[in-house]
Amino acid sequence: MKFCLNLCNDINFEPDAVQPCCNVHAIAVPRFPFTGGRLDMAAYARHIQNVVEQLQKGGAVCRGCPECIEINAPQDSAVRLLFRSVSINMHRHLCNCRCVYCDLWRGHGAGYAILPVLRNLEEQKVLRRDCFFSWGGGEPGILPDFEEASQWILHNGWPQYVHTNALRFSPAIAALLREGKGGVNVSLDSASPEVYRAVKGVDGFTRVTANIERYRAAAREAGLIHLKYIIFEKNNAVAELERFFALCRALDVTSVQFSLNFQELNGAGPVPKTLLGAAFFRHRAASLGMACVPFFIPKRWLSVIDELEQRHFSGAVERSLP
């Protein structure tokens, strides 16, 4: 039968629905209306069961998703919900940045109180003991109950990963880093105040780097701090990328991620200079002994980046950039 493990193992809270994934593949995902309060797990289980039945019939939901695979199981198997991950994104439109590569901040809605929802999931016994919590957004650090909810997760022993712009310092983030119970991801996308302002739409470079320094001081180990760089036409200059790695060393950050502009990925695609910049980024990280991973880059573009890295940066001597 055709199946996706996310259907029963993962839950993602969106502004007006819950669904089993974040829909990074731009397809029709199964959505269950929800705007806070108590989530009726029996009703949600029936919804997921219906989705599984639609998959067998070739319906539109999840069509074309690479996560859907054939498994050896009876087609009438009953679903059982037990979540290994909880993604918190109901505040997608709540943000204190104005990034030019993102339109979410142009939307409306501040989400809803998440702590009662999480407590209710625990009461309904649908959270695995090794469950993992991911805070997306929007900006979680400005949610009214983020501090309390994050501390509740920490006190229950679950790890959490927080995607934050770090414009605001969070004691809860510092606490989970101190305990080694998760990590933080800051999409810095720059290495200078000027480029930061051009990309992020606000003046915050000095404040953000100071908060990253505070998080690093609190963290049990350097690898818990991840700095991300979304590479596109406003920040793809090699000189800026070099300055980014110099900044990482100054902040004692040893883990980085690189990504591409989703607006470009869903349009005409990245320009050659951006792809070359991504190849340089990965090469420079490797040469510095830093952990470096791509962030949701389609295989098509990763293959191009691989080829550019081999052509321009392989061997003992780097070739000149065009």
Side-chain angles (χ1 to χ4, degrees):
M1 66 179 289
K2 184 170 290 186
F3 192 67
C4 173
L5 294 176
N6 294 341
L7 290 172
C8 298
N9 294 338
D10 305 283
I11 188 166
N12 174 44
F13 290 92
E14 292 289 337
D16 58 358
V18 291
Q19 55 196 52
C21 66
C22 293
N23 191 19
V24 297
H25 302 296
I27 58 168
V29 301
R31 293 169 54 82
F32 184 81
F34 181 73
T35 55
R38 182 183 185 275
L39 177 60
D40 185 339
M41 293 309 304
Y44 185 63
R46 291 192 296 271
H47 164 73
I48 294 299
Q49 186 72 57
N50 181 58
V51 170
V52 173
E53 293 171 2
Q54 290 185 52
L55 285 177
Q56 314 319 308
K57 298 175 182 177
V61 65
C62 301
R63 182 184 296 164
C65 180
E67 305 298 328
C68 290
I69 58 175
E70 292 289 338
I71 65 171
N72 185 20
Q75 292 199 7
D76 59 352
S77 299
V79 301
R80 179 176 178 239
L81 303 180
L82 189 60
F83 301 125
R84 66 185 177 186
S85 78
V86 176
S87 296
I88 303 167
N89 296 296
M90 78 294 167
H91 55 294
R92 283 200 181 275
H93 307 301
L94 181 68
C95 194
N96 48 357
C97 262
R98 297 294 180 261
C99 303
V100 298
Y101 52 70
C102 177
D103 290 327
L104 292 174
W105 55 267
R106 300 179 187 277
H108 301 284
Y112 46 80
I114 193 62
L115 182 54
V117 178
L118 300 181
R119 283 177 167 155
N120 183 252
L121 292 181
E122 184 194 32
E123 291 168 0
Q124 297 188 71
K125 302 186 184 306
V126 292
L127 300 176
R128 287 169 43 162
R129 283 316 309 163
D130 60 349
C131 186
F132 178 82
F133 291 75
S134 175
W135 294 88
E139 168 52 39
I142 58 178
L143 283 170
D145 65 344
F146 170 75
E147 293 292 318
E148 187 179 2
S150 178
Q151 290 282 4
W152 179 84
I153 295 170
L154 179 64
H155 291 159
N156 276 278
W158 286 303
Q160 52 191 313
Y161 192 68
V162 185
H163 296 264
T164 175
N165 56 38
L167 279 167
R168 178 182 294 186
F169 180 80
S170 164
I173 292 177
L176 72 90
L177 293 172
R178 190 176 301 111
E179 296 295 323
K181 293 296 290 183
V184 62
N185 183 303
V186 180
S187 193
L188 190 57
D189 308 325
S190 62
S192 62
E194 297 76 21
V195 175
Y196 184 93
R197 187 185 312 111
V199 172
K200 311 295 281 188
V202 296
D203 287 312
F205 182 79
T206 301
R207 194 183 344 154
V208 168
T209 52
N211 286 336
I212 294 171
E213 191 171 17
R214 293 177 70 184
Y215 288 143
R216 176 62 192 95
R220 179 171 292 186
E221 57 186 71
L224 301 179
I225 313 289
H226 303 154
L227 293 190
K228 185 169 66 178
Y229 201 110
I230 298 176
I231 306 170
F232 66 119
E233 62 180 352
K234 289 187 178 296
N235 63 2
N236 61 11
V238 169
E240 187 70 7
L241 296 172
E242 283 278 28
R243 285 192 289 268
F244 172 78
F245 285 106
L247 177 62
C248 287
R249 295 195 296 274
L251 294 171
D252 190 29
V253 170
T254 60
S255 296
V256 295
Q257 298 177 356
F258 67 100
S259 189
L260 301 175
N261 185 339
F262 278 92
Q263 293 175 345
E264 294 178 353
L265 291 175
N266 294 327
V271 299
K273 185 178 178 182
T274 289
L275 295 169
L276 188 62
F280 173 81
F281 187 100
R282 187 166 60 183
H283 167 79
R284 178 61 77 226
S287 71
L288 295 170
M290 302 178 71
C292 177
V293 296
F295 184 86
F296 287 117
I297 298 180
K299 291 181 179 179
R300 168 193 175 188
W301 297 113
L302 274 178
S303 296
V304 175
I305 293 168
D306 289 342
E307 193 276 331
L308 289 171
E309 186 176 5
Q310 288 296 317
R311 184 193 309 170
H312 294 284
F313 307 114
S314 63
V317 180
E318 295 178 8
R319 297 185 176 93
S320 299
L321 294 176

